[in-house]
Amino acid sequence: MSDFEIAKAQFEDWSVDVEQAIREVSKIPISVHCWQGDDVAGFEVSKGLSGGGIQATGNYPGRARTPDELRSDLEFSYSNIPGNHRLNLHAMYLDCDTNPDRDEIEFSHFHSWADWAKTQKIGIDFNPTFFAHEKADDNLTLSHPDSGIREFWIEHGKRTREIAAEFGRQQGNPCYNNIWVPDGYKDNPISRIIARKRLRESLDTILEQKFEQTELLDSVESKLFGIGVEACTIGSHEFYLGYALENDIVLCIDTGHFHPSENVSDKLSSLALSLNNLLLHVSRPMRWDSDHVILQDDNILAMAHELVVSNILDKTAIGLDFFDATISRTAAWVIGTRNMQKSLLRAFLTPLNVLNEVEEALDFSKRLMITEEIKDLPFGSIWNEFCRRNNVPTGQRLISVLDQYQVSVSDR
Ligand code: RNT
Ligand code: ZN
């Protein structure tokens, strides 16, 4: 018997259907964020402006400097991740020679991405870029007191929806267009509601045009605080939860955007009861929204468990959001995405029927015995088989493949 067959038999002893678990995890696309590939720099001519309270630290060799380099790095990374996935593209990653400003972008500037996505058989998700721009230097965009600045960003937002809808039409499935703005104040504002009213009005204007939900799904992402906006974030969780409910749009939950002691996975079942759609930015905050590569840690395992147990995967799109510039960027993508998948596979391999039964019977001792015993089941052999069936390496072979690629890009 192979390792896999032995492992499978052990899971079956707990009434877990291993083949079903593998099938389930194969069906889940992860939206891989383009910005891990170049430290959130983008391809505009006046790039290099940071801002918005987000920060990539490190200077590891091999950063993608052009769309072509980013695409080859992505191709390499996808080839080491089992299954079919998506690309989450930011507007600052346009591919053209004309250097349009943010309020001038159109689909033609992203044509190469759409063509490439077709050859790779992947779907694209999109994001307006409301940071790293001189008109965002005050850390105020859609809520700026100056109507001219607001209009500039409103136009950007509208254009990204059109671009996203075109991606959606071409790929035959909805493109999520996720709005995150850095807006906030470093020190205590007198009025929070004035800025929040302005943000709301700007969003209303951006969202005026109607698109088919089969092409475009609008989402909004809240935040707790950012560097430089410690006192007040205009787009807080309460702001966007209310806004998403009121407008029947998607809420994006970034796991780094809550207080460090909050249990983000606990929010999902509650949100799913009232919202039709959720988008996740799975990240790993360390002391703050530091965007470390996600590990198979308790938070991610709990997140995957919630998605599976609450049966909300069909209304939840999973995207990643981390950027570490101190390690190989392609390794970061591969490790992080595989960790998301591993956590989902672990969740599908949980004997839920048995656990639900003992929980409903209030037999908490047995529940604890089972959850602890099943931690010792040979998960690795199931994961390896999943990778083998998808033709992607594991273990030391994976490490050498990642190393070799990093060497090939390190003189960039
Ligand atoms: C910032 C948000 C946002 C960005 C990306 C680049 O705190 O998480 O999602 O990370 O849009
Ligand atoms: Zn995010």
Coordinates of all heavy atoms in Angstrom, one line a residue, residues 221 254 257 281 321, ligand 2:
E221 N -13.5 47.4 1.1 CA -12.6 46.9 2.1 C -12.3 47.9 3.2 O -11.9 49.0 3.0 CB -11.2 46.5 1.5 CG -10.2 45.9 2.4 CD -8.9 45.6 1.7 OE1 -8.8 45.8 0.5 OE2 -8.0 45.1 2.5
D254 N -10.2 41.9 5.2 CA -8.8 41.7 5.2 C -8.4 41.2 6.6 O -8.7 42.0 7.6 CB -8.1 43.0 4.8 CG -6.6 42.8 4.7 OD1 -6.0 42.3 5.7 OD2 -6.0 43.2 3.7
H257 N -6.9 43.7 9.1 CA -7.5 45.0 9.3 C -8.4 45.1 10.6 O -9.4 45.8 10.6 CB -8.3 45.4 8.1 CG -7.4 45.7 6.9 ND1 -7.9 46.3 5.8 CD2 -6.1 45.6 6.7 CE1 -6.9 46.5 4.9 NE2 -5.8 46.1 5.5
H281 N -9.3 39.0 2.0 CA -7.9 39.3 1.8 C -7.2 38.5 2.9 O -7.1 39.1 4.0 CB -7.6 40.8 1.9 CG -7.7 41.5 0.6 ND1 -7.3 42.8 0.4 CD2 -8.2 41.1 -0.6 CE1 -7.6 43.1 -0.9 NE2 -8.1 42.1 -1.5
D321 N -3.5 38.7 0.5 CA -2.9 40.1 0.5 C -1.7 40.1 1.5 O -1.9 40.3 2.7 CB -4.0 41.1 1.0 CG -3.5 42.5 0.9 OD1 -2.4 42.7 0.4 OD2 -4.3 43.4 1.2
Ligands
ZN2 ZN -6.3 44.1 1.7

